Amino acid sequence: MLLIHCPYCGPRPELEFSYGGEAHIARPSPPESVSADDWVAFLYLRANRRGLQAERWRHVRGCARFFNALRDTTTDQFLATYRCGEPRPDGGGSASP
Amino acid sequence: MMAWRAAHGGRVDRSRPIEFSFDGRSYRGLAGDTLASALLANGVHLLGRSFKYHRPRGLLSAGSEEPNALVTVARDAARSAPNLRATQVEIYDGLRAHSQNRWPSLAWDLGSVSNWLAPLFPAGFYYKTFMWPRFAWHRWYEPRIRAAAGLGRAPVGADPDGYAQRFAHCDVLVIGAGAAGLAAAAAAARSGARVILCDEQAEMGGGLLDEPAAKIDGVNSAAWLKATIGQLGLQANVTLLPRTTAFGYFPHNMLGLCERLSDHLDAPPPDLPRERLWQVRAREVVLASGAIERPLVFPGNDRPGVMLASAARSYLNRYGVRVGSRAVVLAGSDAAYAAALDLQVGGVAVSAIADVRPEPSAPALAAARTAGIRVIQGATVLATAGRLRIRNVTLGTVRPGGTIGRGEILACDALLMSGGFTPSIHLHSQSRGKLLWREAERFFVPGATAERERSAGAARGLDGLGAALEDGTQAGLAAAAACGFRGSATPPLVATNELSSRGAPGALPQPGHAAPAKAFVDWQNDVTSRDLELAMREGFSSIEHIKRYTTTGMATDQGKTSGLNALGIVAHGSARAVPEVGLTTFRMPYTPVSFGVLAGYDRGQQFDPVRRTPMHDWASARGAVFEDVGMWKRARYFPQGAEDMHAAVARECRSVRGACGLFDASTLGKIEVVGPGATEFMNRMYVNNWTSLAPGRARYGVLLRDDGFIYDDGVVARLADDRYHVTTTTGGAARVLQLMEDYRQSEWPELKVWLTSTTEQWAVIAVQGPRARDVIAPLVAGVDLSAGALAHMSVARGTICGAPLLLFRVSFSGELGFEINVPADNGTAVWEAVYAAGQSHGITPYGTEAMHVLRAEKGFIIVGQDTDGTVTPDDVGLAWAIGKAKPDFLGKRSLARPAMRAPGRKQLVGLLSVDRSRLLEEGAQVVANAGQTPPMQIIGHVTSAYASPTLGHPIALAMVADGRARVGQTLFVPMPGGDIAVEVTSPVFYDREGAHLNG
Amino acid sequence: MQKFSAWSLLKQAFGGHRGWQPQWRRAAPQSSYDAIIVGGGGHGLGAAYYLASEHGMNRVAVLEKGWIGGGNTGRNTTVIRSNYLFDESARLYDHAVKMWRDLSQHLNYNVMYSPRGVLMLAHSVHDMQVSKRHIHANRCNGVDNEWLSPAECKAFCPPLNIGHDIRYPVLGGALQRRGGTARHDAVAWGYARAADALGVDIVENCEVTGICRDANGAVEAVETTRGRIGSRKIGVAAAGNSSVVMGLAGIRLPLESFPLQALVSEPIKPVLPCVVMSNAIHAYVSQSDKGELVIGAGTDAYTSYTQRGALHVNLHTLAAICELFPAFRRLRMLRNWGGIVDVSPDRSPIICKTAVPGLYLNCGWGTGGFKATPGSAHLFAWTIAHDEPHPLNAPFTLERFRDGLLIDEAAAAAVAH
């Protein structure tokens, strides 16, 4: 069971959280200007990185807020957690929310 | 009779004899004995049979690494535990233990015929045969192999014992209470850290318990242990957990411990759990798990009486039991000398120490010489003899140049061996710490760590008591310091010189020609050195492949005694260095953990929370039959007298259509969406246009995911300009809120809107039927119930029976309907008031089954029953709900994909059997042409089917390809008994104009 | 290929088993091949075998970064069944079940396929509806699956608790009698041995680090830890690592890789005669020939390549097992392990050509790939050899996600309404 640092509440056990998948994937809009390829990329395509990954968690049994985390998927160790809207602490990835 | 009990010594309580039985025969032991030591004290060495060859086996060890002596201990039929290691079973008065995997008896086991056929059964033999004829594997061979395999038997009754679970936090968790662990715990505790110290044995002390002669700080080991453990026990910041195995190391310094609470008691208090699971989150961990002695691999090394030297020493020093009268000690390490010396003193004649090393260490030789024990250098073992107990050993001599000469035959009833000690690196490896191979010592030690842990003492390959105490102290201090506690401690002074624990893994040298006898590497699984060689010959080179092909290390001891020997043999056989061969992964658990303690409290009704509505007890008292919907209990129907479900549902339906029904809808999910951005938020989430919905009005809402498929539905009421009351399906409440929060927080943080789950705040009482208004009118205040004032799909606030009321005029039955929302605490009172008021109107409580029938008659879908996650709004005739002018909403882009509008999509229709008599089965398939054989051309399936009391014949809803264009056609439902001809109809069977609904 | 039989075993016994030959060569990679399969699990080894045996391609290599069969092939709970809901799925999986029947004879390697029956329990009215839809759909597709009442479930599986003293009582079950188990390692080794005999090079400890494309964008080689290896046809069957390997060709996949755990009990005498599954309470259990209860746990919540998961996932599963089999509480967990499962959005696999000429993909099997091994391998080989999908795998494209033509086995088992 992971120990996750909610940026609002502090360290809490994984049982209090739900996982939200890859972070920094913005929903394209309006629909009529979104290509089929962009749409499927938003809906389904994922980096699924082996290594450092920016991902979303929700402290659903706590403050109920979503936040982002940097985690190494080869060790399950967290490097950082940060609030939605904040840039990736390591400067990687895209800048979108 | 305890002929083999030494006159004195050991930590057993000689004043407390214990009666127990093994295989039906009674024996006497002493308090403090394990089953193993007690049986040895009675001269019993034959304790089990091996897995494959059914060879007679005795004790190899004295600890949890034991591969041979597996027994079943049964208090009764349900409290029967198979495969327990006799070395870990503490005896109590009346304990009944049985040997396993033998028939008819342990001494005469018919299964041992496989031992004679062993040449036919090399490693992996089963991959090469049993293939003809084709069906013979499953019908003939496999059942026989299965019957022969397995060890003990599963109990036959439900286990009545309780199991407990606990979470704990600490600064420093110390695993293992031997010298290093005790020193670590003491040092950490003195610095002020919160310490948990656990040890798998009944008594703390680890290997020190076997060393009564050792002196620490000027006192003997027993006195030091008593003082040290006593001191720890007095400290408020220390938790001592004996009989507690740390079995797993999980990410982020979470460890699993299993504490055994009652198995050692003759009469456990009924409220005492059998075991307790501890899930410990430690800031720092000290692994002081010690080391395990390695056996030597030589022909006939598995006869009862062949034992690890440290085990013989333990039986003597800890339990006061002699393992034989005449022993030969086989030394692959200096530790064997220590055992030989102790045994000699304890009254066991040591014929010789046969040292398998070319150059024994000088101190060891000197010690043996002083004790007058003969040492044979450069020895090997060529054979042993004895059927149920070793009788003699044939030694060989390794000549310079490597040739082997035949040596002498020594009579003995115990052959004690030591191949050196293997550090117990299991937990370090489980935590994903790296391992380092030490070529000089020939073992792995912990390398770089992945978690906040450090190993101490023998667990990281250190030799001797002094080193263990020093290292443990430093580890304890360092761990405490890492948690911010400063302390200082002087390690205890030691006045015992220890012999080295180094040794050599692998097989003892043998003559070039194959000896007929087997040299075992993995005792329990009967894996021999020749099996390993065969695997290599057949091209298996990865140690993982060799393990899987030969099953070495896969027995219930998980390779604790066999792992390094197998590795040594493979490395030698393939001329590779050990690290090149690799090491199989250490997996949790360290030793087996019962399912019961892992399941813990989650049993019976506590398996999952039970959600009950406020009116649950009322329904229960009226004899309602409940169904599980998610965690909820929902009343399915209310049988009267001898009614079955069909009769009850028919009556309930007729009441709703003809008079009035009362339905508990409290389980529907409820979410309040509030704020200046509420309308915009709802417009973006749901397909509907909410801008045009006036406050006080409600609308049927459809929620898609962004993939364009229906996710949920429900009535949404606009309570005010900035406030919506959203209802969801019963099962969808949590996931809809999660979806809403996801978009609110992640995609549209600029919207000023707040979401609150109010599911359990409201009791919802649906009153449905032509008399509904008449029933509730006398109870409601502050709401004009007339059709003109409160039209279908309206909402109003008022009071009912004095309670605040949120009144919906909605209908899921097709009749005039109201849904009374009152605070949950008022639910039962209001329900009872409505029920009382409805008596003169023929009010009838109805359950979910009647609700389903009524809604199906009306053609209303149930998300999850009539939809399955591949259904668009248009597929189920809900395209009308979509707000066409909205720039965006969840799923809008997906609905624009060509395939979502292509012909051939399944659409919701009604189906009636052509003869109007057949009730279709839900899930039945639909085809266009009769008489098909599989694979058929399937064009749809039945989603809902009920006997309709209103129509007097069965009805069905179905999803059928291009269904709306097929209305009027005849299709077929292929059933095992033949096709059923069905007519495609509109999905609305009742009151298509909505006259009842709007009444 | 040295023939395996009772006779050869007997003959070898007299020679001390010294005459057995390596089951497959330890091949060093050549400079180029007609086809390369990336991933030495059952699906990849099988595909190489069928390329050689059915499509006449004998210059084929399987590149495995570790040891063959060491991924999900050697880590799963070996359940075999084909009672899937959608017609496309049922036909795909049943293709495999039909091949399981004589796979041992076909490969001359006993894979121990044991059709002991897979019983999938229902615990709610909704479960029953879903089960019955499966049964009807399967029957119309020629796939055996039948409904058992609770008493019939008990008769088929005597230790099962059908009492009402548990939170979610058993209301019945769907039984596929042809479902069962097989020996997972034997599948990898059997395919490896048979493929090797046809000239396929099985290259272990060879990790693919790059996918090279020519001027037209078509694949021409892979870079590996053992050098560059040329091929105009590259099939990727890398399971949990599919996203990583396909990322080398610049392709993002609709996959997420989750830890999936399993565990075994200590071996006991036969007690469980069939496979029992409960999707509702997450219990999946069978008994191996060795006597161990083989139990599948759930996936962890988060993506990971660590091949391990959390304790609480196992606790949940064992609680469910103990409810269904209350006599098992005193049995003990012997060994737990984790795999990396590549989960697709609709829980259905992907076997297809890709946008890159010469690059083929077989992935997305999620928690259930083992059962499909022979069929998947067979169809993947076909797809590679013909440069077009076989009709049975034609619906299982990458494009279905773009077009919304999902084969949604997950939603089909939708949770309670």
Side-chain angles (χ1 to χ4, degrees):
Chain A
M1 191 188 305
L2 306 180
L3 186 65
I4 302 173
H5 285 252
C6 170
Y8 304 95
C9 307
R12 295 288 188 278
E14 181 194 330
L15 289 182
E16 294 184 12
F17 297 83
S18 62
Y19 181 68
E22 187 176 334
H24 306 298
I25 296 176
R27 180 177 184 270
S29 190
E32 58 275 13
S33 65
V34 180
S35 72
D37 287 339
D38 286 349
W39 188 244
V40 74
F42 161 72
L43 278 182
Y44 298 126
L45 303 187
R46 297 293 177 263
N48 196 22
R49 279 186 57 83
R50 186 170 74 191
L52 196 60
Q53 163 169 285
E55 62 191 16
R56 299 166 355 111
W57 288 87
R58 183 178 179 216
H59 194 189
V60 62
R61 290 172 188 86
C63 66
R65 283 195 265 204
F66 281 86
F67 60 91
N68 294 330
L70 287 180
R71 182 175 57 95
D72 187 335
T73 60
T74 64
T75 64
D76 290 339
Q77 299 294 330
F78 286 98
L79 272 75
T81 54
Y82 53 105
R83 299 178 181 200
C84 286
E86 293 177 357
R88 270 179 74 143
D90 64 343
S94 66
S96 52
Chain B
M1 285 297 293
M2 292 190 278
W4 299 93
R5 186 79 69 181
H8 51 79
R11 303 176 65 86
V12 286
D13 185 348
R14 286 166 192 271
S15 68
R16 284 178 55 208
I18 305 263
E19 303 285 341
F20 68 98
S21 75
F22 177 62
D23 277 346
R25 199 171 150 190
S26 293
Y27 297 96
R28 177 175 288 184
L30 296 174
D33 263 329
T34 62
L35 181 61
S37 67
L39 285 171
L40 287 179
N42 287 277
V44 178
H45 274 252
L46 176 64
L47 265 69
R49 289 277 173 173
S50 66
F51 187 82
K52 185 171 165 188
Y53 299 135
H54 289 247
R55 288 171 69 97
R57 291 285 169 76
L59 291 156
L60 180 71
S61 74
S64 65
E65 70 271 31
E66 175 60 33
N68 286 337
L70 305 186
V71 298
T72 297
V73 175
R75 286 188 199 271
D76 52 47
R79 290 185 179 87
S80 170
N83 303 340
L84 302 183
R85 295 147 169 81
T87 51
Q88 289 188 294
V89 174
E90 297 173 58
I91 59 167
Y92 53 80
D93 260 320
L95 175 130
R96 283 174 300 152
H98 296 273
S99 60
Q100 306 181 152
N101 200 33
R102 80 289 183 273
W103 190 85
S105 77
L106 187 55
W108 295 100
D109 175 15
L110 221 54
S112 62
V113 68
S114 65
N115 189 36
W116 303 105
L117 298 173
L120 290 175
F121 304 147
F125 73 98
Y126 29 72
Y127 298 124
K128 293 174 175 151
T129 181
F130 307 136
M131 288 181 277
W132 185 88
R134 195 179 72 187
F135 296 108
W137 167 254
H138 173 55
R139 296 200 187 140
W140 173 254
Y141 300 116
E142 189 184 38
R144 279 153 189 83
I145 287 175
R146 281 177 176 263
L151 292 165
R153 295 188 181 282
V156 291
D159 185 352
D161 285 349
Y163 296 86
Q165 293 186 342
R166 182 178 290 182
F167 288 95
H169 295 262
C170 67
D171 296 313
V172 180
L173 171 64
V174 181
I175 312 257
L182 285 168
R190 270 196 301 273
S191 71
R194 287 175 306 156
V195 174
I196 295 176
L197 172 63
C198 70
D199 190 275
E200 65 175 348
Q201 300 204 60
E203 204 181 350
M204 292 194 161
L208 263 184
L209 299 170
D210 302 339
E211 308 218 14
K215 287 263 195 296
I216 305 172
D217 280 348
V219 297
N220 67 29
S221 59
W224 185 83
L225 280 174
K226 194 172 174 195
T228 305
I229 297 166
Q231 175 63 31
L232 284 170
L234 292 175
Q235 288 176 256
N237 57 334
V238 177
T239 304
L240 297 179
L241 297 175
R243 294 191 182 89
T244 303
T245 303
F247 65 84
Y249 204 133
F250 304 93
H252 302 180
N253 259 21
M254 168 77 93
L255 286 95
L257 320 179
C258 177
E259 182 184 15
R260 291 171 294 279
L261 297 165
S262 72
D263 267 4
H264 61 292
L265 303 175
D266 57 353
D271 56 346
L272 182 67
R274 179 172 176 242
E275 295 173 346
R276 177 182 291 128
L277 173 71
W278 291 72
Q279 294 181 76
V280 180
R281 183 84 67 181
R283 294 173 73 187
E284 296 286 327
V285 174
V286 176
L287 299 173
S289 38
I292 293 173
E293 194 165 26
R294 277 193 305 281
L296 294 166
V297 179
F298 55 86
N301 60 349
D302 69 324
R303 290 184 206 283
V306 181
M307 188 183 288
L308 291 169
S310 62
R313 194 170 179 230
S314 179
Y315 287 120
L316 181 69
N317 289 341
R318 184 166 172 194
Y319 303 102
V321 176
R322 296 190 305 268
V323 298
S325 58
R326 174 174 294 271
V328 171
V329 176
L330 205 50
S333 92
D334 287 358
Y337 287 76
L341 298 173
D342 279 4
L343 261 62
Q344 172 106 329
V345 172
V348 181
V350 179
S351 307
I353 297 174
D355 202 312
V356 302
R357 301 169 296 181
E359 300 279 333
S361 70
L365 280 176
R369 209 168 290 135
T370 308
I373 300 175
R374 178 186 166 208
V375 176
I376 303 167
Q377 296 189 38
T380 185
V381 178
L382 301 183
T384 64
R387 190 173 86 85
L388 300 180
R389 176 85 182 263
I390 187 166
R391 203 171 63 233
N392 65 50
V393 52
T394 305
L395 297 179
T397 329
V398 183
R399 301 200 187 96
T403 58
I404 310 281
R406 198 173 170 80
E408 57 194 300
I409 298 177
L410 297 175
C412 61
D413 59 1
L415 178 58
L416 312 177
M417 57 187 166
S418 175
F421 281 76
T422 309
S424 290
I425 50 180
H426 305 71
L427 289 172
H428 169 78
S429 175
Q430 277 190 33
S431 79
R432 298 297 167 99
K434 298 270 188 282
L435 300 176
L436 292 174
W437 174 249
R438 290 243 195 98
E439 185 60 32
E441 289 97 336
R442 309 280 296 165
F443 54 52
F444 286 97
V445 293
T449 58
E451 296 279 354
R452 307 284 306 171
E453 53 97 2
R454 67 207 73 219
S455 298
R460 66 182 191 98
L462 295 183
D463 256 346
L465 184 54
L469 291 167
E470 164 74 25
D471 197 43
T473 302
Q474 295 308 328
L477 285 175
C483 302
F485 297 93
R486 297 273 162 251
S488 65
T490 315
L493 297 172
V494 184
T496 311
N497 199 17
E498 275 291 293
L499 295 168
S500 169
S501 61
R502 293 175 189 184
L508 293 188
Q510 296 298 314
H513 58 88
K518 300 179 185 70
F520 286 91
V521 177
D522 183 315
W523 268 247
Q524 189 183 121
N525 271 357
D526 281 331
V527 181
T528 66
S529 55
R530 257 178 290 154
D531 287 322
L532 299 175
E533 287 154 13
L534 173 65
M536 288 187 275
R537 190 176 305 132
E538 293 198 72
F540 295 95
S541 66
S542 159
I543 192 67
E544 285 284 357
H545 276 157
I546 290 170
K547 169 184 127 184
R548 286 158 180 261
Y549 192 65
T550 65
T551 74
T552 189
M554 297 185 81
T556 63
D557 56 305
Q558 290 288 286
K560 287 188 180 59
T561 52
S562 63
L564 214 52
N565 279 336
L567 211 49
I569 290 167
V570 171
H572 183 258
S574 58
R576 286 179 289 174
V578 166
E580 259 182 78
V581 179
L583 190 62
T584 60
T585 315
F586 289 96
R587 307 187 184 286
M588 82 113 172
Y590 176 69
T591 53
V593 182
S594 69
F595 287 2
V597 78
L598 296 170
Y601 300 114
D602 294 347
R603 63 199 286 183
Q605 295 306 307
Q606 277 74 54
F607 176 77
D608 220 10
V610 178
R611 300 180 79 181
R612 296 184 183 86
T613 71
M615 290 80 84
H616 179 92
D617 291 346
W618 189 94
S620 186
R622 293 299 182 291
V625 175
F626 291 89
E627 66 167 325
D628 288 307
V629 181
M631 290 178 188
W632 286 103
K633 294 283 183 190
R634 298 197 77 180
R636 194 173 181 199
Y637 57 100
F638 291 81
Q640 290 184 356
E643 275 182 341
D644 62 7
M645 183 172 86
H646 180 76
V649 169
R651 173 181 49 73
E652 291 170 15
C653 288
R654 280 192 297 269
S655 293
V656 175
R657 293 272 183 251
C660 182
L662 188 60
F663 178 72
D664 183 351
S666 303
T667 64
L668 288 183
K670 295 168 275 293
I671 300 167
E672 283 223 354
V673 178
V674 182
T679 298
E680 178 61 21
F681 179 75
M682 288 299 294
N683 277 336
R684 293 185 193 182
M685 290 299 301
Y686 280 71
V687 304
N688 315 67
N689 176 1
W690 301 102
T691 312
S692 63
L693 184 71
R697 297 287 294 168
R699 185 168 279 171
Y700 171 70
V702 178
L703 177 68
L704 313 182
R705 279 192 311 195
D706 251 332
D707 63 8
F709 299 120
I710 293 178
Y711 193 55
D712 204 79
D713 68 350
V715 169
V716 177
R718 189 165 188 176
L719 301 181
D721 275 340
D722 63 349
R723 184 174 293 259
Y724 290 82
H725 178 103
V726 178
T727 65
T728 74
T729 58
T730 296
R735 59 173 185 253
V736 169
L737 182 60
Q738 168 90 3
L739 188 77
M740 286 183 171
E741 282 289 359
D742 192 347
Y743 280 84
R744 183 187 76 81
Q745 295 185 36
S746 308
E747 299 293 344
W748 312 314
E750 75 282 2
L751 289 182
K752 292 210 175 310
V753 61
W754 292 268
L755 310 173
T756 309
S757 167
T758 57
T759 302
E760 300 202 348
Q761 273 58 53
W762 296 107
V764 183
I765 301 161
V767 187
Q768 304 270 308
R771 313 294 292 272
R773 187 181 285 118
D774 305 332
V775 171
I776 66 168
L779 306 174
V780 173
V783 182
D784 181 350
L785 296 179
S786 67
L790 191 69
H792 181 54
M793 299 305 268
S794 299
V795 61
R797 286 184 189 279
T799 60
I800 183 165
C801 308
L805 167 68
L806 188 60
L807 183 65
F808 288 74
R809 179 156 171 215
V810 290
S811 172
F812 199 45
S813 64
E815 300 300 331
L816 168 65
F818 298 91
E819 287 186 3
I820 297 166
N821 283 244
V822 291
D825 288 348
N826 299 101
T828 301
V830 172
W831 174 281
E832 285 175 347
V834 173
Y835 185 63
Q839 288 305 309
S840 56
H841 301 278
I843 196 165
T844 300
Y846 67 102
T848 51
E849 195 64 24
M851 176 270 282
H852 276 112
V853 175
L854 296 165
R855 65 89 198 172
E857 289 174 342
K858 188 68 182 141
F860 292 147
I861 62 160
I862 298 267
V863 170
Q865 178 174 345
D866 300 292
T867 71
D868 61 10
T870 62
V871 173
T872 68
D874 183 58
D875 294 343
V876 284
L878 294 175
W880 58 265
I882 297 174
K884 306 288 184 295
K886 294 201 298 181
D888 198 0
F889 57 84
L890 259 62
K892 182 174 168 74
R893 176 63 185 84
S894 286
L895 291 178
R897 294 179 296 195
M900 305 297 246
R901 288 178 290 185
R905 290 194 68 82
K906 286 187 183 180
Q907 295 170 332
L908 183 75
V909 293
L911 292 183
L912 295 173
S913 72
V914 168
D915 65 6
R916 296 295 187 272
S917 73
R918 297 287 297 269
L919 175 60
L920 302 178
E921 269 197 34
E922 287 169 354
Q925 305 292 294
V926 178
V927 297
N929 303 309
Q932 296 189 40
T933 54
M936 303 181 190
Q937 287 293 314
I938 299 167
I939 60 169
H941 68 281
V942 177
T943 60
S944 297
Y946 306 97
S948 166
T950 311
L951 280 72
H953 59 73
I955 58 169
L957 299 175
M959 294 295 291
V960 174
D962 295 320
R964 287 197 286 269
R966 295 181 193 262
V967 169
Q969 289 181 12
T970 299
L971 302 176
F972 299 90
V973 174
M975 295 298 287
D979 295 332
I980 301 172
V982 293
E983 179 189 335
V984 183
T985 69
S986 152
V988 184
F989 298 98
Y990 174 75
D991 187 26
R992 273 182 202 154
E993 302 72 33
H996 292 262
L997 203 101
N998 290 309
Chain C
M1 188 167 80
Q2 199 174 17
K3 172 101 173 144
F4 285 168
S5 68
W7 171 245
S8 66
L9 202 56
L10 185 66
K11 210 168 61 179
Q12 289 288 342
F14 287 106
H17 295 285
R18 288 173 185 279
W20 293 114
Q21 292 159 10
Q23 297 194 1
W24 65 90
R25 295 164 292 128
R26 214 172 304 162
Q30 299 171 28
S31 60
S32 76
Y33 291 93
D34 293 342
I36 285 174
I37 304 292
V38 181
H43 294 242
L45 292 163
Y49 167 71
Y50 292 115
L51 280 174
S53 65
E54 298 204 349
H55 304 287
M57 296 172 71
N58 45 23
R59 296 187 62 253
V60 176
V62 178
L63 308 183
E64 166 54 49
K65 78 182 165 91
W67 37 284
I68 62 165
N72 294 341
T73 296
R75 293 166 185 270
N76 73 91
T77 55
T78 79
V79 174
I80 294 169
R81 62 182 180 91
S82 61
N83 52 353
Y84 281 74
L85 178 61
F86 289 101
D87 302 343
E88 301 89 334
S89 310
R91 286 167 193 166
L92 178 76
Y93 287 100
D94 212 52
H95 181 59
V97 167
K98 286 174 182 152
M99 292 178 73
W100 276 113
R101 207 167 44 178
D102 53 6
L103 191 61
S104 294
Q105 291 72 29
H106 192 80
L107 298 177
N108 182 230
Y109 209 102
N110 189 356
V111 301
M112 306 179 199
Y113 166 56
S114 172
R116 44 207 303 102
V118 173
L119 180 60
M120 302 178 76
L121 301 175
H123 303 268
S124 68
V125 174
H126 182 255
D127 277 0
M128 291 169 66
Q129 289 167 338
V130 171
S131 290
K132 290 192 173 177
R133 184 177 166 198
H134 278 73
I135 287 168
H136 285 295
N138 289 159
R139 180 171 43 77
C140 293
N141 276 307
V143 175
D144 80 294
N145 198 4
E146 62 197 274
W147 177 254
L148 301 190
S149 69
E152 289 167 328
C153 290
K154 177 85 178 166
F156 191 75
C157 181
L160 181 67
N161 178 15
I162 57 167
H164 285 262
D165 53 333
I166 63 174
R167 177 70 179 82
Y168 298 113
V170 173
L171 301 184
L175 171 65
Q176 185 176 30
R177 293 185 190 272
R178 284 185 306 148
T181 56
R183 173 83 190 127
H184 53 12
D185 290 331
V187 176
W189 301 339
Y191 272 123
R193 173 169 165 269
D196 175 88
L198 296 173
V200 172
D201 280 354
I202 292 158
V203 187
E204 297 179 270
N205 302 309
C206 180
E207 182 171 359
V208 170
T209 55
I211 293 176
C212 312
R213 295 157 69 172
D214 66 14
N216 299 320
V219 296
E220 57 176 7
V222 290
E223 299 282 358
T224 78
T225 50
R226 298 180 69 172
R228 180 186 166 98
I229 309 171
S231 183
R232 309 294 298 185
K233 284 177 183 282
I234 296 170
V236 176
N241 286 295
S242 296
S243 298
V244 179
V245 176
M246 293 300 285
L248 300 173
I251 295 178
R252 267 166 82 96
L253 295 180
L255 292 181
E256 289 185 296
S257 293
F258 289 95
L260 179 69
Q261 297 180 79
L263 61 101
V264 293
S265 74
E266 296 179 296
I268 45 170
K269 292 293 178 189
V271 63
L272 189 65
C274 59
V275 182
V276 176
M277 304 176 62
S278 168
N279 289 330
I281 61 173
H282 301 295
Y284 315 92
V285 60
S286 63
Q287 189 171 16
S288 73
D289 286 339
K290 196 181 174 190
E292 297 160 331
L293 293 178
V294 183
I295 294 171
T299 50
D300 276 83
Y302 48 85
T303 65
S304 176
Y305 289 85
T306 58
Q307 293 189 320
R308 70 166 170 174
L311 177 60
H312 64 84
V313 175
N314 296 296
L315 305 187
H316 183 65
T317 291
L318 287 170
I321 295 286
C322 291
E323 285 300 282
L324 295 178
F325 303 99
F328 289 179
R329 281 180 199 277
R330 278 176 131 83
L331 302 182
R332 300 193 293 180
M333 170 171 72
L334 171 61
R335 185 170 63 249
N336 163 276
W337 64 92
I340 312 168
V341 296
D342 43 327
V343 177
S344 71
D346 60 359
R347 304 298 188 273
S348 283
I350 298 161
I351 316 176
C352 65
K353 298 169 63 173
T354 69
V356 176
L359 186 61
Y360 307 88
L361 180 61
N362 183 348
C363 66
W365 292 95
T367 61
F370 178 75
K371 63 176 73 71
T373 303
S376 157
H378 188 245
L379 299 173
F380 194 36
W382 171 287
T383 304
I384 294 170
H386 291 81
D387 193 36
E388 65 176 30
H390 185 283
L392 283 176
N393 65 295
F396 294 89
T397 60
L398 271 174
E399 287 73 33
R400 74 175 188 267
F401 299 101
R402 186 193 61 203
D403 299 337
L405 296 171
L406 305 190
I407 304 161
D408 203 335
E409 290 290 338
V415 289
H417 47 82

